[in-house]
Amino acid sequence: MTTTHCPYCALQCAMRLEPGPDGALAARPADFPTNRGGLCRKGWTSAEVLRTPDRLTTPLLRKDRTAEFTEVDWDTALDHVADRLAGLRAEHGPDSVAVFGSGGLTNEKSYLLGKFARVALGTSQIDYNGRFCMSSAAAGSMRAFGLDRGMPFPLTDVGEADVVLLAGANPAETMPPMMGHLSAPTLIVVDPRRSATAQQALAQGGMHLAPRPGTDLALALGLLHAVRAEGLADTDYIDARTTGFEATWAHAAAWWPEQTEHVTGVPATQIRAAARLLAEASGAYILTGRGTEQHAKGTDTVSAWINLALALGLPGTRGSGYGCITGQGNGQGGREHGQKADQLPGYRKIDDPAARAHVAGVWGVDPDTLPGPGRSAFELLDALGTETGPRAMLLFGSNPAVSAPDAGRVRDRIAALDLLVTADFVLSETAAMADVVLPVAQWAEETGTMTNLEGRVLRRRAAAAPPSGVRTDLEVLHGLATRLGQPAHRFPTEPDTVLAELRAASARGAADYSGVTPERLESGEALHWPVREGAEPTPRLFLDGFAHADGRARFTPVAHRPPAEATDAEFPLIATTGRLMGHYQSGAQTRRVAELAEAEPAVYVEVHPDTAARYGLAEHAWARVTSPRGSTLARVRLRGDARLDTVFLPFHYAGQQAANNLTNPALDPTSRMPEFKVSAVRLEPAAHHTGGENP
Ligand SMILES: Nc1nc2c(c(=O)[nH]1)N[C@H]1C(S)=C(S)[C@@H](COP(=O)(O)OP(=O)(O)OC[C@H]3O[C@@H](n4cnc5c(=O)[nH]c(N)nc54)[C@H](O)[C@@H]3O)O[C@H]1N2
Ligand SMILES: Nc1nc2c(c(=O)[nH]1)N[C@H]1C(S)=C(S)[C@@H](COP(=O)(O)OP(=O)(O)OC[C@H]3O[C@@H](n4cnc5c(=O)[nH]c(N)nc54)[C@H](O)[C@@H]3O)O[C@H]1N2
Ligand code: SF4
Ligand SMILES: [Mo]
């Protein structure tokens, strides 16, 4: 029996992996502060992916994309990849090779992947799927607080508050055990849909504010207006702990609740009532999720929520605060140790000379050899195979053919590459497009650290040996780096050796892990970063001051603007996207679990019955949803509580059922986050697809 943590989301629920009578591992809940003995359906069934019948156990190679894959041995596969990479670099320079990583990777993998890109390949072209996830919240927190740790407090604190506002987060489906922490507070849920979380809020006597998608910024301005107009702002806190309130107020001054109602559709009475609830609470939290963040104005929207929190005196106050609910298992650590285009380990900036000197020292290389910042995730994917873009890509832990915005365009770019190499344990839709597929170990077959949604670093432990023929991601990086001429010791394969290096590289950085030792991890100590060597961890940040030089938090003046794409006669409805309880992300893992696949076998589109009737659609009919970029075939699910102007699709399905065939890659100017949550679409019956689960 091994105690470890779930392979999926950022709650990182603790679980026991126990061999059943047939010897196969089964996951059972274990106690931990985030999950308190609970697991969601995905966690319960997670061990099944270890023995999925289509598990990859041999490297696959093909000479060109029209050929079938052939099974080859590891030396053949790695020699081939290294030769091709060396050839491309020699001919087109180091930036001709791109690396794409993931917030699902352990800290050790994220760190070594960043080092591999900068040192073994010398490329600036590295980014990761967290750009699609946390980047707007990260940028907003940086701006306001000078530091970005999703929740700068333990989750257990949140349960003790009177009021919690959840903006664009649906934890009842995305982190079900978290709801145990949210049963006592009054919840205010901001979501265009009557989500499971919104229903829970109403059942507990709380509120559901249902704005038109893409108008959260206006709503947050309206709430700020109501707070000040009703004399509810915490002026002592604003004076003592912040700067910039008056300039920010100048943008909120026009957002009377009635004006806000006009733009958002949220009744002015509800706006005033929510402002009062928040202001009168003795402890209150404002938490944001992807619904409010995944917009071309996501960073400004997060700033607007933080401005509201600051006006109420919440951040850096014991028992109150602002936090962002991170997403992937290592959504937090994955954005700290260098797989981001502009970053070096320890949350350092790659264009900061002191940061370059420090990290180059740890790596034993000349700082001048380190490349500068590269392209952000979508920009990187969109440049693949173009005149000026990368010609090869190495992919670890993401399935962009399904999960990237405007996925049809991204699939075309991927197809234009000279060389695609993916490391995965199944043939994901993107791996199926590759030239070389490298079969790697899964979470329960290797050790590593993850940083959960509270900034707590924890240990995942190996519970079984990987199947024969499979290597770990660290071994893959080692094998490629040495073939590219790197000394073997520079790319260790032992996770704890990599952790020791990561500790040194992160030391004195913003995200300081220098005290995260295997011994402390094994002891079960709650290691919330920063954890300096020999020092106490930091469960609560900002109580004594914010991370800006003057110790104050900054209000950021932000103005509302409409979504990048407006509805019109041809595309009269708004489509928004998100998650179902039973599937994870691109679905590469959970669509392979029979129980989960049977429960939600196909994509659906949630539509109000009146809207459906208008377009000739009935319950369970197949509909074609079309945006200016492409279309998705989805089964109609009628929802009487839906907005008339908005439809919703989960994004866990592939091919014709991929919601990302629709989505708009308009990017936030600061975070480079795409607008996953607003596309203009039309609905029509898909006449020739009347039966079957898979049109
Ligand atoms: N079951 C499951 N759980 C997961 C994941 C998964 O794939 N499946 N993924 C994990 C990851 S990586 C992440 S990032 C988290 C995400 O967790 P959440 O942020 O909770 O997930 P989403 O479903 O993307 O979005 C939340 C809500 O935003 C709403 N929304 C849509 N448009 C808008 C808008 O304009 N404004 C507002 N206010 N809300 C809007 C949607 O209706 C949805 O209910 O979940 C994690 N947990
Ligand atoms: N329309 C729409 N699109 C979205 C979103 C949305 O809300 N709406 N949300 C976005 C968000 S928040 C996210 S986080 C992304 C996520 O979307 P993706 O980046 O596609 O994430 P996953 O589906 O988790 O892909 C993980 C892949 O890596 C493999 N894998 C898992 N663990 C490992 C590992 O340790 N090593 C290796 N080598 N492989 C591994 C899995 O088998 C799988 O094939 O989707 C984004 N796309
Ligand atoms: S809530 Fe997240 S971490 Fe917990 S069991 Fe479900 S997927 Fe795993
Ligand atoms: Mo995410």
Side-chain angles (χ1 to χ4, degrees):
M1 202 263 295
T2 306
T3 307
T4 187
H5 295 270
C6 180
Y8 302 119
C9 86
L11 204 59
Q12 284 298 287
C13 298
M15 51 169 61
R16 288 177 288 122
L17 289 174
E18 302 177 345
D22 57 351
L25 289 177
R28 298 288 173 260
D31 201 34
F32 192 68
T34 58
N35 64 305
R36 293 175 169 160
L39 285 182
C40 80
R41 201 169 187 183
K42 299 185 299 303
W44 275 101
T45 54
S46 55
E48 273 183 45
V49 187
L50 295 168
R51 47 185 179 271
T52 182
D54 58 354
R55 177 85 195 256
L56 300 172
T57 54
T58 316
L60 304 175
L61 180 96
R62 55 181 162 189
K63 289 281 176 306
D64 68 77
R65 297 276 170 73
T66 57
E68 296 286 308
F69 282 118
T70 49
E71 297 190 345
V72 295
D73 61 38
W74 274 95
D75 280 336
T76 306
L78 294 176
D79 287 347
H80 175 83
V81 174
D83 279 356
R84 294 288 310 275
L85 294 179
L88 285 168
R89 280 170 52 202
E91 201 178 332
H92 304 286
D95 278 354
S96 63
V97 179
V99 178
F100 201 87
S102 165
L105 303 177
T106 61
N107 289 313
E108 291 77 3
K109 294 179 187 184
S110 312
Y111 167 81
L112 208 67
L113 192 64
K115 179 180 179 183
F116 175 81
R118 273 62 173 243
V119 176
L121 297 172
T123 181
S124 68
Q125 301 295 298
I126 174 170
D127 212 52
Y128 80 124
N129 67 3
R131 188 71 73 168
F132 298 157
C133 181
M134 301 290 317
S135 57
S136 293
S141 287
M142 277 295 191
R143 236 156 46 175
F145 311 128
L147 191 68
D148 154 43
R149 197 184 90 191
M151 280 190 189
F153 37 75
L155 178 58
T156 43
D157 284 6
V158 177
E160 288 163 23
D162 286 345
V163 177
V164 178
L165 183 145
L166 291 159
N170 183 17
E173 294 214 55
T174 53
M175 300 190 182
M178 188 197 283
M179 295 310 282
H181 296 270
L182 300 177
S183 58
T186 300
L187 302 180
I188 304 170
V189 172
V190 180
D191 195 312
R193 292 191 305 143
R194 179 69 50 93
S195 64
T197 311
Q199 290 171 31
Q200 185 60 36
L202 294 174
Q204 288 174 208
M207 302 183 70
H208 174 209
L209 313 185
R212 183 180 163 89
T215 63
D216 291 51
L217 208 167
L219 181 60
L221 289 168
L223 285 161
L224 177 61
H225 188 288
V227 163
R228 188 182 210 192
E230 305 211 3
L232 300 170
D234 187 340
T235 46
D236 291 346
Y237 173 98
I238 294 172
D239 290 346
R241 301 204 55 187
T242 71
T243 60
F245 178 67
E246 287 308 326
T248 295
W249 174 251
H251 287 278
W255 289 92
W256 289 94
E258 286 70 16
Q259 164 65 9
T260 309
E261 171 175 346
H262 178 68
V263 171
T264 64
V266 178
T269 47
Q270 285 188 11
I271 295 170
R272 291 200 173 89
R276 243 175 272 126
L277 260 180
L278 282 166
E280 285 162 9
S282 68
Y285 289 87
I286 294 179
L287 303 178
T288 58
R290 301 309 84 75
T292 207
E293 298 165 6
Q294 288 173 325
H295 295 270
K297 56 176 177 297
T299 305
D300 283 356
T301 303
V302 167
S303 288
W305 290 116
I306 296 177
N307 290 341
L308 174 66
L310 291 171
L312 293 162
L314 310 182
T317 305
R318 183 80 192 238
S320 292
Y322 162 79
C324 142
I325 304 173
T326 68
Q328 298 181 82
N330 199 24
Q332 184 66 50
R335 71 176 185 267
E336 298 165 357
H337 299 299
Q339 58 176 332
K340 220 171 153 185
D342 57 354
Q343 192 189 60
L344 289 173
Y347 223 132
R348 290 183 160 91
K349 298 288 281 180
I350 203 165
D351 52 9
D352 167 7
R356 294 170 68 88
H358 170 80
V359 174
V362 175
W363 289 350
V365 300
D366 178 347
D368 292 339
T369 63
L370 297 179
R375 292 178 170 93
S376 76
F378 180 76
E379 290 161 297
L380 181 59
L381 294 171
D382 200 37
L384 298 176
T386 62
E387 259 324 274
T388 52
R391 292 165 179 252
M393 179 165 76
L394 307 179
L395 177 66
F396 288 80
S398 181
N399 188 10
V402 176
S403 59
D406 196 358
R409 170 162 153 194
V410 167
R411 289 191 292 267
D412 288 348
R413 300 287 11 120
I414 291 174
L417 281 168
D418 291 356
L419 177 71
L420 174 66
V421 181
T422 66
D424 209 316
F425 33 81
V426 291
L427 199 66
S428 74
E429 287 71 16
T430 315
M433 300 178 73
D435 300 276
V436 183
V437 184
L438 303 171
V440 292
Q442 290 195 41
W443 104 108
E445 298 160 351
E446 55 188 344
T447 300
T449 62
M450 308 286 284
T451 307
N452 78 358
L453 77 169
E454 323 156 298
R456 175 172 174 175
V457 191
L458 48 84
R459 186 94 146 159
R460 275 205 194 148
R461 297 181 184 86
S468 123
V470 159
R471 294 195 180 173
T472 66
D473 289 303
L474 296 180
E475 288 168 345
V476 169
L477 293 175
H478 176 91
L480 288 175
T482 48
R483 282 173 176 79
L484 290 165
Q486 291 292 310
H489 68 83
R490 206 175 260 171
F491 288 88
T493 57
E494 268 307 307
D496 280 350
T497 312
V498 180
L499 176 62
E501 207 184 293
L502 184 164
R503 288 167 49 208
S506 75
R508 296 177 303 285
D512 188 330
Y513 281 44
S514 56
V516 180
T517 60
E519 297 71 33
R520 288 176 83 174
L521 287 162
E522 284 301 330
S523 77
E525 189 182 351
L527 297 171
H528 300 264
W529 70 253
V531 192
R532 300 200 173 87
E533 188 132 40
E536 293 294 311
T538 319
R540 296 174 189 85
L541 287 162
F542 311 141
L543 294 182
D544 301 326
F546 296 96
H548 289 302
D550 59 3
R552 287 168 177 261
R554 291 186 190 151
F555 278 95
T556 306
V558 286
H560 179 65
R561 54 190 190 271
E565 185 164 86
T567 53
D568 58 17
E570 201 185 345
F571 301 104
L573 299 168
I574 300 171
T576 192
T577 61
R579 294 162 165 81
L580 300 179
M581 157 116 71
H583 282 297
Y584 192 66
Q585 317 275 59
S586 71
Q589 287 154 278
T590 49
R591 281 186 277 121
R592 290 180 159 82
V593 175
E595 178 190 323
L596 302 177
E598 281 160 23
E600 292 289 2
V603 75
Y604 63 80
V605 55
E606 253 178 39
V607 193
H608 190 280
D610 294 354
T611 306
R614 195 142 129 225
Y615 299 105
L617 293 164
E619 177 85 343
H620 300 315
W622 283 101
R624 180 180 298 279
V625 190
T626 305
S627 83
R629 291 157 293 281
S631 61
T632 304
L633 291 173
R635 295 197 86 153
V636 172
R637 208 173 270 189
L638 299 178
R639 286 285 301 246
D641 53 18
R643 288 181 61 97
L644 288 161
D645 59 2
T646 302
V647 303
F648 169 83
L649 300 94
F651 78 99
H652 311 296
Y653 302 87
Q656 290 190 307
Q657 296 192 28
N660 278 318
N661 296 344
L662 306 172
T663 48
N664 187 356
L667 300 184
D668 180 283
T670 307
S671 68
R672 319 308 281 165
M673 162 72 82
E675 189 136 276
F676 286 117
K677 295 301 199 235
V678 185
S679 319
V681 298
R682 67 166 177 267
L683 282 183
E684 57 213 336
H688 51 293
H689 292 296
T690 47
E693 290 301 354
N694 291 296

